[in-house]
Amino acid sequence: MENNNQSNYSLDPIFERYVQPYSKEAKQQLLTSILENKDGRVVHVWKHMHLNDKEKYELCKQHGIKETIKIYCFNGRNSAAYYICTKELQRDDLCEEYRKYLIGELYHYKELIEKRDVFKRSMMKGRLSDELGLKLGISGGTVKKYSNYAAAMDIIFDTDNEFAKHILLGKVKVSHENVVELSRLRREEIRIIAKAVENDKLEKLTLQDIRNEIKWNYLRIQNSLPKAKREVEKRVPKAGTIRQMPAYDPDSEVNSLCMTIGSWVSSIERVNKTADFTKITTKARIRLSKELVSLNHMIEKIQCSLEERTG
């Protein structure tokens, strides 16, 4: 449906995540398309919300060009989000991490859409990742891996939108494993890491950087007396790197794990108190069960290691 109404359209903050910010060059190419081709002036919306054409809409307004509004009638947010991810994956200027994130989100929304249709669910059970992977030229296992990555990135988005975008744009390099580790931290700890990356202008964030920054912050809080505080601050280098802790400490890794476990316990307690487990989706229930089994298995392994080495 087309509509030339000049109404303003809102921007959903979740939908906005799926649209990679435009560079100067990409904006110029978009403007050229708008000026040279009427089809380039079509702006797609849903329920008075922008989908992935907000930049095009704003360029039309800035240059006094009459845009054509095309209204979609999606069957809910999942279908709208799936559309945005699909369209964004077609961009020539898409960053590699953004591509992986969008594939993960595409799989997530495809699962949600298919679960609404009983017939399709029975016909396509266990084949969604393989079918999506075939279309994208990757394996089904890689699609699922990107889905886990996207879920972790969404937690970071919820905490610090700009930090998440910097990761996806490649402004700070973070491995998928470390993105997952970041997502397991408390929100205030993620913000601490994000601030340190910004202040120190880091281009790469390692697991050691993450642990060191959390340790440093822990020490800063614990050593609240003026003298102790000064001693902690002396260990902070003025140069642009994340704070490094003192040399070898045999308890370092264990102490770091203990602090991390504290954040896990806090998160688990919060979810147990606030989540309505009768209303969560089957996907979320299965995922949580798997993660808890994995966590329990790892706890048993480390307890065995402790018993063997102290026995």
Side-chain angles (χ1 to χ4, degrees), residues 52-290:
N52 64 318
D53 291 327
K54 178 175 177 287
E55 196 67 52
K56 185 189 296 186
Y57 180 82
E58 291 185 344
L59 283 172
C60 285
K61 294 298 182 189
Q62 288 170 16
H63 294 272
I65 299 169
K66 189 176 181 63
E67 79 285 352
T68 298
I69 300 298
K70 184 171 182 179
I71 302 173
Y72 277 121
C73 298
F74 292 118
N75 185 27
R77 287 180 58 87
N78 295 336
S79 296
Y82 185 85
Y83 166 87
I84 296 171
C85 294
T86 300
K87 287 296 183 182
E88 282 296 292
L89 279 167
Q90 296 171 7
R91 283 175 59 171
D92 294 331
D93 64 329
L94 198 62
C95 295
E96 185 62 17
E97 291 307 310
Y98 240 110
R99 185 183 73 85
K100 294 172 182 177
Y101 171 66
L102 288 172
I103 290 173
E105 294 292 352
L106 200 67
Y107 174 66
H108 167 68
Y109 285 111
K110 185 67 173 174
E111 271 198 321
L112 293 177
I113 292 166
E114 295 298 339
K115 282 179 180 177
R116 285 190 172 187
D117 189 318
V118 177
F119 175 73
K120 282 188 177 181
R121 184 167 69 230
S122 63
M123 292 292 290
M124 301 181 69
K125 187 177 180 181
R127 290 163 42 196
L128 284 179
S129 59
D130 290 334
E131 291 187 358
L132 185 56
L134 189 62
K135 289 180 182 178
L136 298 169
I138 56 178
S139 70
T142 300
V143 170
K144 289 183 178 178
K145 177 184 175 184
Y146 291 166
S147 178
N148 292 334
Y149 174 60
M153 282 303 310
D154 281 336
I155 293 172
I156 298 173
F157 262 115
D158 290 341
T159 307
D160 192 309
N161 192 69
E162 286 305 308
F163 183 40
K165 284 185 177 179
H166 282 176
I167 293 173
L168 293 182
L169 290 169
K171 292 182 179 180
V172 52
K173 306 287 186 185
V174 189
S175 71
H176 288 197
E177 292 77 10
N178 288 343
V179 166
V180 172
E181 288 298 324
L182 272 173
S183 72
R184 289 171 175 165
L185 298 175
R186 292 192 294 263
R187 287 197 172 194
E188 58 267 28
E189 292 173 333
I190 295 175
R191 293 189 188 102
I192 289 166
I193 300 295
K195 190 68 175 175
V197 168
E198 179 185 1
N199 291 342
D200 298 337
K201 296 179 172 57
L202 279 189
E203 295 181 356
K204 184 177 181 181
L205 184 64
T206 67
L207 182 58
Q208 193 59 47
D209 291 330
I210 295 169
R211 288 174 174 172
N212 284 350
E213 191 61 25
I214 296 302
K215 286 181 194 174
W216 181 88
N217 186 68
Y218 176 79
L219 286 174
R220 181 179 61 80
I221 293 170
Q222 293 299 312
N223 295 282
S224 56
L225 294 175
K227 182 179 178 180
K229 191 173 182 179
R230 285 197 299 272
E231 288 174 354
V232 171
E233 290 174 347
K234 284 178 184 177
R235 294 200 291 269
V236 182
K238 295 179 181 178
T241 57
I242 275 192
R243 289 156 281 275
Q244 299 298 309
M245 299 306 294
Y248 178 69
D249 175 2
D251 295 338
S252 174
E253 294 298 322
V254 170
N255 289 336
S256 176
L257 178 60
C258 289
M259 285 186 283
T260 305
I261 289 173
S263 70
W264 297 349
V265 171
S266 175
S267 297
I268 292 170
E269 285 179 342
R270 184 178 68 252
V271 170
N272 196 39
K273 288 178 182 177
T274 61
D276 186 345
F277 291 102
T278 64
K279 294 181 179 179
I280 63 173
T281 64
T282 302
K283 178 186 176 183
R285 185 177 291 107
I286 291 172
R287 184 178 179 188
L288 180 57
S289 296
K290 286 181 178 179

Side-chain angles (χ1 to χ4, degrees), residues 38-54:
K38 285 187 177 180
D39 290 340
R41 303 168 193 174
V42 178
V43 174
H44 302 85
V45 299
W46 173 67
K47 286 192 172 180
H48 230 69
M49 288 188 292
H50 279 292
L51 293 168
N52 64 318
D53 291 327
K54 178 175 177 287

